[in-house]
């Protein structure tokens, strides 16, 4: 059975993330969606809220596990006994950073490989842009799962 870890902030999960998970399931039997716990990074949603929204967005698919981790992804992967890290590539802007990360991670854990899946319909969507648009009163329901649209309205008092 092949497993990949899909790590990120997911603050909040978008349809772009969901499409990477769906594509990832074509290549892997199981995906662990791992929310990075970083107390120094300001977030709109708590780790628990983010994990809950991820679970709801993948319809509790048995092949998708949702977890949180603190510290290095390289250490987390080792602990989980997983050797593949899945990332989405939205465009050239992502490339430089991802190239650095993949190689740094390879240095930190020589057993680990990073696999990229090209973004598709939602290539222009990012969690930060979603938050910005929603904060300014924009309707983001086309680019985020239903539960996220609802939670954003609740959180932003609309
Ligand atoms: P991070 O803060 O670690 O970049 P994100 O939650 O923003 O975490 O993203 C996690 C992963 O999902 C990254 O590989 C990112 O490139 C990818 N990703 C984010 N948005 C999209 C999208 N719209 N389409 C495809 N991949 C995406």
């Amino acid at each position: 059975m092949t497993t990949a870890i899909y790590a990120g902030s997911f603050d909040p999960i978008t349809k772009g993330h969901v499409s990477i998970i769906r594509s990832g399931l074509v290549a892997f039997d199981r995906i662990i969606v791992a929310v990075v716990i970083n107390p120094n990074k300001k977030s709109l949603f708590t780790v628990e809220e983010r994990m809950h929204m991820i679970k709801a967005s993948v319809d509790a698919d048995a092949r998708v596990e949702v977890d949180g981790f603190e510290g290095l992804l390289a250490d987390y992967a080792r602990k989980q006994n997983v050797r593949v890290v899945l990332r989405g590539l939205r465009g050239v802007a992502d490339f430089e950073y991802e190239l650095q990360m993949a190689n740094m991670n390879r240095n930190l854990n020589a057993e680990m490989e990073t696999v990229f899946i090209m973004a598709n319909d939602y290539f222009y969507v990012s969690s930060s842009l979603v938050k910005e648009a929603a904060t300014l009163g924009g309707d983001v329901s086309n680019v985020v799962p239903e539960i996220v649209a609802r939670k954003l309205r609740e959180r932003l008092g609309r």
Side-chain angles (χ1 to χ4, degrees), residues 6-20 36 41 86-90 94 97-98 101 116-128 143:
Y6 182 40
S9 311
F10 304 105
D11 184 39
I13 187 167
T14 69
K15 286 190 178 176
H17 293 126
V18 174
S19 83
I20 294 295
V36 181
K41 200 167 159 187
L86 183 65
R87 298 286 291 177
L89 264 193
R90 279 164 292 190
D94 277 346
Y97 175 68
E98 295 292 346
M101 283 281 285
F116 295 95
I117 288 183
M118 295 296 163
N120 44 41
D121 303 8
Y122 300 101
F123 68 92
Y124 58 93
V125 179
S126 66
S127 299
S128 51
V143 294

Side-chain angles (χ1 to χ4, degrees), residues 3 55 67-68 74 106 111 118 120 132:
T3 303
K55 277 187 197 128
D67 195 13
R106 198 180 272 134
E111 311 251 275
M118 295 296 163
N120 44 41
E132 198 177 327

